[in-house]
Amino acid sequence: MADHVLAIDQGTTSTRAIVFDATATIVGVAQREHEQIFPRAGWVEHDPVEIWTSTEWVISACLSRAGIEASDIAAVGVTNQRETAIVWDRRTGRPVHNAIVWQDTRTQPRLDEIAAADGAGTFRFAEETGLPLATYFSASKIAWILDHVPGARAAAARGDLLFGTPDTWVVWNLTGGARGGIHVTDVTNASRTLLMDLVTLDWSDDLLEVWGIPRAMMPQVRSSSEVVGTSQLPDVLHGVPIAGILGDQQAAAFGQAAFHAGESKNTYGTGNFLLVNTGTDIVRSDSGLITTVAYRREGEAAHYALEGSIAVTGSLVQWLRDNLGIIQRSEDVETLAATVDDNGGAYFVPAFSGLFAPYWRPDARGALVGLTRYVNKAHIARAALESTAFQTRDVIDAVVADTGRALDELRVDGGMTRDDLLMQFQADILGIPVVRPKVVETTALGAAYAAGLATGVWGDLDELRAHWREDVRFEPRMPDDERERRYRMWRKAVSKSLDWVDDDARALMGTEGD
């Protein structure tokens, strides 16, 4: 009997396939990076065709490395970068434009217009969607494609175009593409579009009208854990049920066994994302967090969460590598940062796409402050790592303000958590233990769990919780007065990054009028 689960993790910088056995142990991994396309300042794109060909490759390579075949796979789970928008022709399967990535800021002028239209401001649709008006989410990206690709709006009106976040694109291609592919998403990804009603868990006709998006473009919204179709990928994965879909951060929470109200996790990836489960209650934030869907199992009520979304953390390390060249590999940042005892007085605010939670300031831009002749590249590397920890404290303080309850510990996952220096500083700046599990690839694990639950590989949530194992617990060592002094300096640095984007800045960046 098939008792393995394949997770496809379509992320911001790469696509991975990981096979787990029935004990939730990894038995095979394959990964391939894809190109980051930056046509202009503030624009970030991916090639959807490259994403799909990478997906095909990692599936085949992963199964080969695991030494198993399709007949050994009980189910496939898919997880993905959430708000990235792809629009393609249903007849040909060809994208009409590159994917517009969640980090992209080109649609800010349109958002400003909508926010100002009736004086409601940034939180005009927050009651219905749980989200502020921000370039982060999908709706404005879809509208931009329809408005800027010749013939796209007319094709959409005819019903020829489909929209999806990367989960939808991958599942559509897995299930046949232009030859009968299934056009679906799940509630977690749908909740990131600015188009879904949190109560009905379906697309809002009123919001679709605001953005001028035909309902026929939108995928069917399904549960996070249910069989939605079967793979038609020849030879490698043909006939295997696709039974789990979760946005990457919700998948990470599921993989961390944060199933119930009050349970949380923080993922350290391209950005950082703190999720706190609020159970079946929709909890509104007064402190700059967003309300999102945590997961939904077939036939059950949805679980919701508060989320603190941080745009730039791991991608700052990539920026040090690719743009400045001060490290050769991303993992070298810890070695370099460890050659100095502190940041030398330098603070790095990586507001490359503005600041997300808890500030929601699209006018902010990156700032490296406190520089003296003493500061060297090691101090900059350390300041870059510390910025991740400081931003995490920002959103955890917001959680405490909203819930009235401090966190006892912080469960962490994602690639950056392998960096012991960062994890220790995180514990120090929070003043609570930081706990790293044995399996840090919890995003893929969560997608596998969702798929395995729907197909009988695992019986219930308690069985999944029993798989969780602690690896390392980082205890805070920094004195309280030093912790607060450093955090005050961080907040001062953040203040220097604000109010940067104005008409002059837009003109100099070549984005005025877009």
Side-chain angles (χ1 to χ4, degrees), residues 46-49 86-89 92-99 161 169:
H46 295 155
D47 178 357
V49 174
I86 305 172
V87 175
W88 68 96
D89 191 311
T92 66
R94 301 294 301 180
V96 302
H97 190 274
N98 277 340
L161 299 188
W169 172 245

Side-chain angles (χ1 to χ4, degrees), residues 391-448:
Q391 291 181 97
T392 295
R393 171 153 175 186
D394 284 341
V395 295
I396 287 179
D397 283 358
V399 168
V400 174
D402 277 337
T403 63
R405 183 183 182 279
L407 271 65
D408 297 324
E409 64 182 26
L410 181 67
R411 287 189 177 185
V412 300
D413 56 73
M416 291 185 79
T417 63
R418 297 186 180 93
D419 187 327
D420 287 355
L421 186 151
L422 170 59
M423 292 297 97
Q424 183 58 56
F425 187 78
Q426 184 70 86
D428 287 341
I429 212 65
L430 293 177
I432 60 174
V434 168
V435 183
R436 184 172 64 199
K438 286 189 176 296
V439 177
V440 298
E441 300 298 349
T442 55
T443 300
L445 180 60

Side-chain angles (χ1 to χ4, degrees), residues 463-482:
E463 182 179 352
L464 300 183
R465 190 183 297 279
H467 291 308
W468 192 91
R469 293 288 185 275
E470 180 178 313
D471 180 29
V472 180
R473 178 175 292 260
F474 297 88
E475 297 285 350
R477 300 191 297 231
M478 186 178 290
D480 292 347
D481 58 345
E482 179 68 12

Side-chain angles (χ1 to χ4, degrees), residues 6-285:
L6 173 68
I8 299 169
D9 180 0
Q10 202 300 292
T12 305
T13 59
S14 69
T15 304
R16 288 179 295 180
I18 302 180
V19 172
F20 297 88
D21 66 15
T23 68
T25 301
I26 294 174
V27 297
V29 180
Q31 180 171 351
R32 175 175 280 183
E33 290 193 1
H34 56 262
E35 183 183 5
Q36 305 298 302
I37 303 167
F38 306 103
R40 298 167 67 172
W43 294 28
V44 188
E45 299 179 356
H46 295 155
D47 178 357
V49 174
E50 182 187 10
I51 285 174
W52 171 240
T53 57
S54 294
T55 301
E56 290 184 294
W57 184 88
V58 297
I59 290 170
S60 179
C62 182
L63 295 183
S64 176
R65 293 170 186 177
I68 60 177
E69 299 178 347
S71 58
D72 298 308
I73 303 294
V76 176
V78 177
T79 184
N80 59 287
Q81 49 170 322
R82 296 173 297 180
E83 300 80 7
T84 295
I86 305 172
V87 175
W88 68 96
D89 191 311
R90 71 164 72 235
R91 302 164 302 172
T92 66
R94 301 294 301 180
V96 302
H97 190 274
N98 277 340
I100 300 181
V101 179
W102 58 273
Q103 301 158 314
D104 191 284
T105 61
R106 76 186 69 184
T107 62
Q108 189 61 51
R110 176 74 185 278
L111 293 165
D112 292 341
E113 291 174 7
I114 291 175
D118 56 8
T122 299
F123 295 94
R124 178 178 177 179
F125 305 125
E127 184 65 26
E128 191 170 6
T129 67
L131 311 176
L133 278 168
T135 58
Y136 181 23
F137 307 110
S138 308
S140 64
K141 299 176 176 66
I142 306 168
W144 190 96
I145 291 172
L146 295 182
D147 289 337
H148 288 78
V149 174
R153 190 162 287 286
R158 292 194 303 269
D160 291 338
L161 299 188
L162 301 178
F163 154 74
T165 41
D167 60 304
T168 302
W169 172 245
V170 167
V171 170
W172 189 79
N173 280 287
L174 270 177
T175 55
R179 298 178 302 279
I182 297 169
H183 188 218
V184 297
T185 190
D186 90 302
V187 288
T188 67
N189 283 291
S191 73
R192 316 297 296 195
T193 59
L194 260 176
L195 297 168
M196 192 196 83
D197 187 306
L198 283 174
V199 175
T200 67
L201 302 176
D202 199 4
W203 308 118
S204 163
D205 289 326
D206 290 341
L207 290 172
L208 290 169
E209 184 177 354
V210 167
W211 297 102
I213 299 170
R215 192 180 182 96
M217 290 184 69
M218 305 302 292
Q220 182 185 13
V221 182
R222 304 288 289 270
S223 298
S224 310
S225 179
E226 68 167 301
V227 175
V228 299
T230 56
S231 171
Q232 301 301 308
L233 201 60
D235 302 324
V236 180
L237 205 62
H238 192 272
V240 179
I242 300 167
I245 304 174
L246 285 157
D248 52 7
Q249 304 312 318
Q250 287 92 337
F254 211 73
Q256 285 272 39
F259 302 133
H260 302 304
E263 296 176 334
S264 63
K265 67 88 200 180
N266 195 39
T267 296
Y268 296 69
T270 302
N272 264 38
F273 302 88
L274 174 74
L275 259 73
V276 180
N277 192 310
T278 62
T280 56
D281 294 331
I282 300 175
V283 177
R284 311 292 180 179
S285 174

